């Protein structure tokens, strides 16, 4: 019975900005950055959450190792993540990934 909604959809349902109640001074809280991952980056993020290496990501997505490495590097940069596990944590926090 769990329903997951994007912040914008929730705001539309509630008729207000979903971040109105956020404390802007609180560290790590407030408005989540607008992050647009490509479909492949989203798939790579999901595989990172499973603990997949770049080699496994490449095999599962049917792409070259270099391309998988590029997608992982790109999503780390977009998320501002310092590591693969940080990317997964940020992906969950920003609603890009559900564990």
């Amino acid at each position: 019975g769990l329903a997951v909604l994007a912040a914008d959809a929730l705001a539309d349902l509630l008729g207000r900005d979903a971040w109105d109640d956020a404390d802007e001074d609180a560290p790590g809280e407030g408005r989540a950055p607008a992050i647009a991952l490509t479909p492949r980056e989203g798939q790579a993020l999901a595989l990172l959450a499973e603990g997949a290496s770049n080699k496994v990501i490449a095999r599962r997505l049917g792409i070259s190792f270099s391309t998988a490495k590029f997608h992982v590097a790109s999503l780390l940069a977009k998320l501002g993540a310092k590591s693969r596990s940080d990317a997964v944590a940020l992906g969950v926090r920003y609603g890009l990934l559900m564990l």
Side-chain angles (χ1 to χ4, degrees):
L2 176 67
V4 178
L5 295 174
D8 294 339
L10 179 61
D12 289 343
L13 287 173
L14 296 176
R16 62 182 173 88
D17 185 7
W19 303 104
D20 281 346
D21 298 330
D23 181 1
E24 295 297 329
D25 296 329
E29 295 190 356
R31 187 172 191 91
I35 298 172
L37 298 180
T38 66
R40 281 292 197 199
E41 290 167 346
Q43 292 169 334
L45 181 59
L47 290 169
L48 284 180
E50 294 178 16
S53 66
N54 288 348
K55 186 175 181 179
V56 171
I57 291 170
R59 191 176 312 128
R60 296 263 306 267
L61 297 181
I63 57 179
S64 73
F65 173 79
S66 297
T67 302
K69 189 174 174 182
F70 172 80
H71 287 313
V72 170
S74 178
L75 75 90
L76 289 173
K78 285 182 180 181
L79 292 171
K82 296 178 177 102
S83 67
R84 297 163 75 92
S85 58
D86 190 31
V88 172
L90 290 169
V92 170
R93 184 175 303 144
Y94 298 150
L96 301 171
L97 183 67
M98 186 168 168
L99 298 179

